[in-house]
Amino acid sequence: MNAKHFSILCCLLFAAPAVFGGIQLTKTSVIPVKENLSGKDSICDPCVDIMGHIIKELINIILNNGAFGNCSALCDMLPNKHQAGECDMICNKVGIHEFVKLLESQDPDPIFFCDSAKICPVTNNGSAIANGIWLNPTSGPAGTRFGFEFNYTVTSLTSTGGSNIVVVPPSSM
């Protein structure tokens, strides 16, 4: 299988006042070096994207209105008509009963939802090799803007997922 290369460029705003609670982290970009292996016709990426915007709204609609007989009846209750159309497309792909069942799962997130709906490919044998992580500057006072770069090579197809960078402040904060 062809190796996939991803370079994650994260720029984190480290605007910490004297207390740890004031740290703000912002992910600015994820840049795939090659096209994803799920194919040009895959709706995995759009599924994760749209569900990230509407999943909580859909859960509230179901809680406030009860059962729905079809996808259009549920999705048309979204205030944004573009999102309603994408919701309807995803819902019709899995069926209204499975769609609602997945929404009612305990604390569903967009990746879990799209994986469970079999919209995104799932593999249990994925693997990747970390090539390096870089930080610039390597240290600085509160208020310093830090740039992070994490590079890895996927050697065996992985499922849809994400990467996190955890910043642990000095114990004095």
Side-chain angles (χ1 to χ4, degrees):
M1 182 172 293
N2 290 336
K4 298 275 290 181
H5 296 278
F6 289 92
S7 179
I8 296 179
L9 303 174
C10 294
C11 184
L12 301 177
L13 181 61
F14 195 85
V19 259
F20 175 66
I23 294 176
Q24 297 176 354
L25 304 177
T26 306
K27 180 175 93 174
T28 57
S29 64
V30 176
I31 306 166
V33 178
K34 292 184 181 177
E35 238 181 89
N36 93 33
L37 296 176
S38 54
K40 291 180 183 175
D41 297 331
S42 173
I43 63 166
C44 178
D45 290 343
C47 178
V48 172
D49 182 52
I50 191 65
M51 293 309 293
H53 294 287
I54 65 173
I55 202 163
K56 287 183 185 349
E57 232 173 319
L58 287 170
I59 291 168
N60 286 330
I61 290 170
I62 292 167
L63 289 173
N64 292 326
N65 297 288
F68 289 87
N70 62 57
C71 294
S72 293
L74 170 59
C75 296
D76 284 348
M77 294 194 74
L78 290 166
N80 181 308
K81 293 308 166 198
H82 176 72
Q83 291 176 341
E86 290 181 335
C87 169
D88 196 47
M89 177 188 70
I90 293 165
C91 180
N92 281 316
K93 185 158 179 65
V94 297
I96 185 66
H97 298 296
E98 182 67 16
F99 191 78
V100 170
K101 182 176 147 187
L102 290 169
L103 287 170
E104 291 174 340
S105 301
Q106 187 167 355
D107 196 25
D109 67 34
I111 293 173
F112 165 82
F113 183 94
C114 298
D115 283 353
S116 298
K118 297 179 177 42
I119 292 173
C120 293
V122 176
T123 180
N124 294 322
N125 299 315
S127 63
I129 299 167
N131 299 322
I133 185 166
W134 300 271
L135 173 65
N136 186 22
T138 56
S139 65
T144 302
R145 185 180 182 129
F146 291 89
F148 291 81
E149 183 175 337
F150 177 61
N151 182 281
Y152 58 95
T153 302
V154 176
T155 56
S156 178
L157 182 64
T158 63
S159 297
T160 305
S163 298
N164 294 315
I165 295 175
V166 178
V167 177
V168 180
S171 58
S172 62
M173 294 187 95

